[in-house]
Amino acid sequence: MNLEEYFKRIGFYGPFSKPDLETLNQVHKHHVMSIPFENLSIHCGEKITMDHELIFNKIVRSNRGGWCCENNLLFAWVLKEMGYNPVTLGSRVYNNTINQFGPKDSHLINKVVIDGTAYIADVSFGASSQIWYPLELVSGKDQPQSPGVFRLIQDGDLWTLEKTGRKPLVLNEAFTNSPLVDKSSTKKIYGFTLVPRGVDNFLETSHCLQTDPKSLFTNKSICSLQTATGFRALIGWTFSEVTYNNQEGFDVLDMKDISDDDVDKVLKEMFNVLLANKLVPINNKAGYTI
């Protein structure tokens, strides 16, 4: 494991002379633009681990992405190597279908303090909820980014990340009422406390998420990658190219279904993902929007 390989993987060529906010912003953005949020291992017969070496080999050396327990764990290592002092936190994802947080910490994030100011770094939530830059840990402050306006809300020990987005403009009428289309204006994404968490805190949940028949991740094959103008997503066989349109107040969603024969081609050309094992796409009914 070395930083040079990681920097090459994300296309970051510096320079950086100290662990400051500008450098953190650049590395964070390069990561989300280069490394997909994806759970494809589950549907390729592969086990997802929280072993640093295995994660590095998978994501950096094998042109793969990963989910939060891989991407954000890798990012924590990167930050430490760069001279930052990240603290890993656990968060509970908000279920907008039943309007409540999940029962367990299922999403790993990092807190970074720079010159006395704390920030939340998260390079692995994916799709339209993905932050491009770390968020300042301050309650109630609107923090506009290309995907929308993010804000962190404090209520006692609980911090909640929420986002106000734009209306979707779906080009393909066949997908106008697709359950993948998020039509909410403001939504909660996840909640967390500032209690530091170690890898052990996520092992059981990680196992359940990739084995439980009721888990979102066993019911959908997901791959999403941020782009200069929005993001791309492949959910099962549904490919979406989303363009953020801040000026007009809506986001353009170009959605289509692809064939089994085109899946590997789309993953390679649109996400730079190369699979060693055969993917079995799946898109069962589950509460998930892009």
Side-chain angles (χ1 to χ4, degrees), residues 39-174:
N39 71 334
L40 303 181
S41 288
I42 297 172
H43 307 287
C44 291
E46 303 164 358
K47 180 178 174 59
I48 297 175
T49 76
M50 294 189 70
D51 179 281
H52 283 86
E53 289 282 353
L54 293 177
I55 292 171
F56 190 90
N57 287 334
K58 173 184 176 181
I59 292 177
V60 176
R61 293 172 175 159
S62 302
N63 273 63
R64 287 290 303 275
W67 63 6
C68 67
C69 288
E70 298 170 292
N71 270 314
N72 280 326
L73 193 63
L74 172 64
F75 200 63
W77 172 83
V78 169
L79 294 180
K80 290 177 184 176
E81 291 293 302
M82 294 181 68
Y84 296 94
N85 188 25
V87 175
T88 296
L89 307 176
S91 63
R92 293 179 293 142
V93 176
Y94 193 79
N95 186 323
N96 285 281
T97 302
I98 59 176
N99 294 318
Q100 65 183 35
F101 293 103
K104 296 182 179 181
D105 289 345
S106 61
H107 185 61
L108 187 157
I109 59 177
N110 291 295
K111 183 185 76 170
V112 184
V113 178
I114 302 173
D115 296 330
T117 301
Y119 299 88
I120 295 299
D122 181 359
V123 295
S124 195
F125 201 89
S128 64
S129 295
Q130 178 62 57
I131 60 174
W132 287 11
Y133 305 100
L135 298 172
E136 184 179 352
L137 187 62
V138 58
S139 183
K141 178 181 179 180
D142 285 355
Q143 303 189 53
Q145 298 187 13
S146 292
V149 179
F150 294 96
R151 67 187 65 83
L152 292 162
I153 306 295
Q154 183 181 15
D155 182 10
D157 292 335
L158 178 67
W159 288 81
T160 299
L161 172 62
E162 65 178 32
K163 175 200 162 188
T164 298
R166 296 168 291 270
K167 294 181 180 179
L169 176 61
V170 182
L171 298 182
N172 187 339
E173 293 183 357

Side-chain angles (χ1 to χ4, degrees), residues 7-279:
F7 287 156
K8 183 178 180 180
R9 172 73 171 90
I10 67 171
F12 175 74
Y13 301 104
F16 76 91
S17 57
K18 60 180 180 178
D20 57 15
L21 179 58
E22 181 180 357
T23 302
L24 175 61
N25 282 338
Q26 289 303 310
V27 175
H28 195 285
K29 184 180 180 182
H30 275 78
H31 188 116
V32 302
M33 296 284 171
S34 304
I35 298 176
F37 170 83
E38 53 108 329
N39 71 334
L40 303 181
S41 288
I42 297 172
H43 307 287
C44 291
E46 303 164 358
K47 180 178 174 59
I48 297 175
T49 76
M50 294 189 70
D51 179 281
H52 283 86
E53 289 282 353
L54 293 177
I55 292 171
F56 190 90
N57 287 334
K58 173 184 176 181
I59 292 177
V60 176
R61 293 172 175 159
S62 302
N63 273 63
R64 287 290 303 275
W67 63 6
C68 67
C69 288
E70 298 170 292
N71 270 314
N72 280 326
L73 193 63
L74 172 64
F75 200 63
W77 172 83
V78 169
L79 294 180
K80 290 177 184 176
E81 291 293 302
M82 294 181 68
Y84 296 94
N85 188 25
V87 175
T88 296
L89 307 176
S91 63
R92 293 179 293 142
V93 176
Y94 193 79
N95 186 323
N96 285 281
T97 302
I98 59 176
N99 294 318
Q100 65 183 35
F101 293 103
K104 296 182 179 181
D105 289 345
S106 61
H107 185 61
L108 187 157
I109 59 177
N110 291 295
K111 183 185 76 170
V112 184
V113 178
I114 302 173
D115 296 330
T117 301
Y119 299 88
I120 295 299
D122 181 359
V123 295
S124 195
F125 201 89
S128 64
S129 295
Q130 178 62 57
I131 60 174
W132 287 11
Y133 305 100
L135 298 172
E136 184 179 352
L137 187 62
V138 58
S139 183
K141 178 181 179 180
D142 285 355
Q143 303 189 53
Q145 298 187 13
S146 292
V149 179
F150 294 96
R151 67 187 65 83
L152 292 162
I153 306 295
Q154 183 181 15
D155 182 10
D157 292 335
L158 178 67
W159 288 81
T160 299
L161 172 62
E162 65 178 32
K163 175 200 162 188
T164 298
R166 296 168 291 270
K167 294 181 180 179
L169 176 61
V170 182
L171 298 182
N172 187 339
E173 293 183 357
F175 290 90
T176 300
N177 296 314
S178 168
L180 290 174
V181 177
D182 188 356
K183 298 180 180 180
S184 60
S185 57
T186 297
K187 64 178 181 179
K188 297 178 181 179
I189 301 175
Y190 53 73
F192 60 93
T193 70
L194 301 182
V195 177
R197 301 295 189 187
V199 168
D200 289 350
N201 183 68
F202 301 95
L203 292 176
E204 180 181 351
T205 302
S206 175
H207 174 74
C208 289
L209 289 176
Q210 56 187 304
T211 57
D212 188 342
K214 297 180 181 179
S215 164
L216 164 68
F217 296 109
T218 60
N219 281 281
K220 290 186 183 293
S221 52
I222 299 170
C223 185
S224 74
L225 180 66
Q226 305 299 300
T227 68
T229 56
F231 70 91
R232 296 170 180 149
L234 180 63
I235 315 300
W237 299 265
T238 301
F239 175 73
S240 302
E241 181 88 40
V242 178
T243 303
Y244 294 140
N245 193 331
N246 294 311
Q247 289 73 28
E248 300 296 331
F250 56 79
D251 295 332
V252 180
L253 281 67
D254 190 2
M255 306 174 71
K256 64 179 180 180
D257 284 333
I258 64 174
S259 68
D260 280 321
D261 292 339
D262 287 333
V263 169
D264 285 345
K265 179 182 178 182
V266 168
L267 286 173
K268 180 179 179 180
E269 294 182 355
M270 297 291 102
F271 302 92
N272 193 28
V273 166
L274 302 173
L275 299 177
N277 297 306
K278 178 67 176 176
L279 171 68

